[in-house]
Amino acid sequence: MSDVLAVVEHRRGSLRDVSFELVTAGADLVGDTGGDLHLAVIGGDVDAFAEELSLAGVDAIHTVAEGDEFNHDVSVQAVAALSEELDPTYVLMGNTVNGLDYAPAVAERLDLPLVTDAIGLQNDGGLVVTREMYASKVESTVEVDADRAAVTVRPGEWDAAEEPGEPAVEAFSFDLNESLVRSRVTGFEEVGSGDVDIADADVLVSVGRGIEEEENIELVRELADALGATLSSSRPIVDNGWLPKDRQVGQSGKVVTPKFYIAIGISGAVQHVAGMKGAENIVAINTDPDAPIFDIADYGIVGDLFEVVPELIEQFE
């Protein structure tokens, strides 16, 4: 039997989506190992977070009431101390800005091998991690030649856990070495034109190279408005300066998991698909019936977007 410790994330008073995905990934892994799934909640409103995370598959939630926001030094010490207490076989963290900030330090502190950006986990006598390589064109498997390991999991690859459960909730305290806490979060400042966060949208209307000219984006914006949706794009649109960086979906943009994702004039390059394949429903509009986007689309329209989109706008208005 091998236990798993998953470290959840929060920001500005809310649990991040990857926290619920970590529950699913961890539950799947203990299903292979026969162990228990433990969650670590570090900082913030730990009691409220623990209530949200009381989900099926979770055996125990350990709350660490240290600070309000993520802190590298606090997280490293807390996860290390909790790991020494629980002795988990695997420690799971998000492959996020925060996760990649502290995961290497945790692995070094606990003398664990670290495998990053996992899109699949399996244990059949040993941990096997699936990763993508060469701009997501190839999947590879990494066989971890060690009894214990730390892993960061890519957001959007596992379904978010939703089914309620009744795990034990325990406050965990340890001797925090304040001399090693060299930074504190003093506030947040939005940068760029961050008027929206496309990662929070339920419906995204995304535009790609097929739009041809910058002025044509207004047509797609009208469709988004008619649907009450948020406008997003593929990388070429951002590279051309037609939309700001915060609207970009994909490997070098944001990973999104909306209820509906409408891809207009997007061919479906692997870099873009990596950022939106977790959407519940994908609708693709493209003139090329062999476009890769149709391989993952739930609904497809083969046609000229300049004819299809106005019709859709009329219908939805």
Side-chain angles (χ1 to χ4, degrees), residues 14 31 77 82 113 124 162 211 215 247 249 266 270 275:
S14 299
Q77 291 188 56
L82 190 54
D124 186 13
E162 297 179 348
I211 200 66
E215 55 266 28
R247 300 289 181 142
V249 174
I266 294 174
V270 290

Side-chain angles (χ1 to χ4, degrees), residues 157-178:
E157 291 296 327
W158 278 266
D159 292 335
E162 297 179 348
E163 185 180 347
E166 296 183 354
V169 179
E170 304 168 357
F172 178 75
S173 59
F174 67 104
D175 293 327
L176 178 68
N177 188 338
E178 291 284 357

Side-chain angles (χ1 to χ4, degrees), residues 8-20 41-46 49 52-53 67-71 96-99 185 187-191 194 196-200 254:
V8 303
E9 294 188 15
H10 60 89
R11 183 173 181 265
R12 301 173 78 171
S14 299
L15 288 167
R16 308 193 77 177
D17 291 345
V18 71
S19 298
F20 301 96
V41 184
I42 303 169
D45 190 346
V46 293
F49 293 155
E52 284 188 68
L53 292 163
D68 296 322
E69 294 292 343
F70 167 77
N71 180 285
T96 61
V97 170
N98 288 356
V185 175
F188 292 91
E189 181 178 346
E190 301 295 342
V191 297
V196 296
D197 186 349
I198 59 173
D200 292 336
K254 288 193 174 183

Side-chain angles (χ1 to χ4, degrees), residues 145-158:
D145 187 19
D147 293 331
R148 301 168 65 236
V151 181
T152 64
V153 302
R154 181 186 294 182
E157 291 296 327
W158 278 266

Side-chain angles (χ1 to χ4, degrees), residues 207-208 211 213-222 231 233 237 242-243 306:
V207 60
I211 200 66
E213 300 290 343
E214 181 178 7
E215 55 266 28
N216 295 333
I217 291 178
E218 190 58 33
L219 176 65
V220 180
R221 194 187 303 275
E222 288 179 25
L231 181 67
S233 76
I237 300 301
W242 298 350
L243 285 176
F306 297 105

